[in-house]
Amino acid sequence: MLMCRGLAEIASDYIDGELSGRQNLTVKMHLMMCKDCRTFIGNLRASSSLLSAHSAGRPDEEFLRQIDERVTEALKNRATKDSESD
Amino acid sequence: MDTAARPELETSLIDDLKRGDATAYHRAVREYSPGMLAVARFYLDHSSAEEVVQDCWVTVIDAIQKFEGRSGLKTWLHRIVANRCKNKLRSSNREVATDFSESLEPELADRFNAKGRWDLPPKLQFHESADNLVENGALSDCLDKHLSALPETQRSALMLYEAHQHKSDDVCNILDVSASNLRVLLHRARQKIFLMVETFQETGEC
């Protein structure tokens, strides 16, 4: 029988639709009877969608500007090389 | 603008990049660097990861000429970053260490009794949704703080899957992890975020 702990262990697989049909059914049956696990799954799902909305690890503008500089220089070098080989 | 969601925009961006259009590069650097950095951080420390992403953009200028569009631009860029990181690790003999043995966070595992039932069940339903995240600066800061505290492997997997919306297969491919290990990485990282939001909602503190 699937206990709450067992369900918590496979909760992300359930949310992402990665369980087999049989496992999925077992989780659904448990959820029908267990309010705590329904809250847990709901909250884990909410955490996951918070993350989709929150694109963290955004590089700072200074870092992006450095890339721009290197790209601009490399583009210039490339254009010079192209015109020399023409 | 998210070009990945609009194939015709991505095609025109690729054409502009092939022509060496500086404005197109400026735009692409801003759109794709966050994901590229997430990939690099899976393998390397912060400053080496930034260095690799910079180097990759320079490589892209020539490499894009041969890009045939068999994968999306984002996946292609992420693979370039991953390959470069792997080479760098090989040359310095560094390995990425990850523990895939436990699927539950210890803090969550302690909330079940010996029979596997909840001892300390989640008390509240989260009312924080993606919609009010933008308005809730404190929650947003708290997420930032906890995300940066995650082990790099978990954070990169989470970012590629959730924030950059890669499919599982792509994430496995880019990060060179098995499908089952990716499931563990994602689940552990989500639990940490779950525990963080729970504390935040109950106490208002991060």
Side-chain angles (χ1 to χ4, degrees):
Chain A
M1 196 173 122
L2 181 68
M3 302 303 288
C4 304
R5 190 191 157 111
L7 185 141
E9 284 171 356
I10 55 172
S12 281
D13 294 344
Y14 174 71
I15 290 174
D16 295 333
E18 298 274 343
L19 292 178
S20 69
R22 196 197 171 108
Q23 281 177 309
N24 205 42
L25 197 66
T26 317
V27 171
K28 279 201 155 81
M29 300 263 286
H30 182 109
L31 289 177
M32 273 200 289
M33 295 178 296
C34 181
K35 186 172 174 288
D36 290 339
C37 284
R38 282 201 299 275
T39 308
F40 176 69
I41 288 278
N43 287 0
L44 196 66
R45 194 177 264 141
S47 309
S48 151
S49 55
L50 269 181
L51 278 164
S52 312
H54 180 88
S55 178
R58 278 162 298 196
D60 57 43
E61 189 52 36
E62 173 58 22
F63 169 64
L64 297 174
R65 218 182 37 75
Q66 283 170 5
I67 301 177
D68 286 340
E69 269 174 24
R70 287 195 56 190
V71 166
T72 309
E73 192 174 324
L75 285 173
K76 258 189 227 151
N77 289 343
R78 194 162 183 275
T80 319
K81 234 191 303 173
D82 283 354
S83 63
E84 278 168 3
S85 63
D86 280 347
Chain B
M1 204 181 305
D2 186 0
T3 49
R6 307 268 306 272
E8 71 282 7
L9 285 180
E10 181 166 310
T11 312
S12 99
L13 177 65
I14 293 164
D15 289 342
D16 292 342
L17 294 175
K18 284 186 175 175
R19 274 205 313 276
D21 180 308
T23 319
Y25 273 96
H26 183 86
R27 194 150 65 83
V29 162
R30 269 143 198 82
E31 180 165 342
Y32 296 103
S33 296
M36 291 163 77
L37 202 56
V39 174
R41 290 287 268 140
F42 180 79
Y43 298 96
L44 304 168
D45 63 71
H46 188 72
S47 72
S48 310
E50 286 198 341
E51 201 180 302
V52 163
V53 173
Q54 285 198 17
D55 291 345
C56 281
W57 276 110
V58 176
T59 317
V60 162
I61 293 172
D62 282 325
I64 191 88
Q65 305 302 332
K66 292 183 204 128
F67 177 72
E68 288 168 354
R70 276 196 292 266
S71 64
L73 181 60
K74 179 172 72 178
T75 305
W76 182 72
L77 288 168
H78 288 183
R79 287 209 185 111
I80 294 180
V81 173
N83 286 335
R84 197 168 263 257
C85 290
K86 283 181 227 168
N87 286 336
K88 208 175 165 92
L89 281 179
R90 262 197 288 276
S91 62
S92 62
N93 281 327
R94 280 182 47 207
E95 291 279 327
V96 182
T98 315
D99 176 22
F100 296 107
S101 55
E102 286 296 330
S103 61
L104 283 187
E105 280 296 304
E107 203 184 320
L108 193 67
D110 287 347
R111 290 167 62 168
F112 296 94
N113 63 24
K115 288 183 178 153
R117 293 208 173 90
W118 285 102
D119 237 355
L120 280 172
K123 277 173 265 168
L124 297 164
Q125 251 176 15
F126 288 177
H127 50 66
E128 304 295 354
S129 70
D131 296 335
N132 61 20
L133 177 69
V134 188
E135 293 144 37
N136 192 339
L139 176 66
S140 183
D141 289 348
C142 190
L143 262 177
D144 271 338
K145 190 175 140 197
H146 279 77
L147 279 170
S148 52
L150 283 180
E152 291 304 337
T153 47
Q154 288 180 18
R155 188 176 57 184
S156 298
L158 197 65
M159 284 292 111
L160 292 182
Y161 192 81
E162 308 271 22
H164 299 286
Q165 308 272 301
H166 271 295
K167 291 193 201 82
S168 300
D169 288 355
D170 281 339
V171 182
C172 290
N173 217 323
I174 291 164
L175 300 183
D176 220 359
V177 292
S178 69
S180 62
N181 285 355
L182 174 66
R183 300 306 313 163
V184 176
L185 287 176
L186 280 174
H187 192 41
R188 293 287 298 260
R190 276 184 191 159
Q191 289 170 66
K192 289 213 179 92
I193 300 302
F194 159 83
L195 292 164
M196 175 229 111
V197 180
E198 192 175 61
T199 307
F200 185 85
Q201 197 159 282
E202 278 173 28
T203 65
E205 279 170 21
C206 185

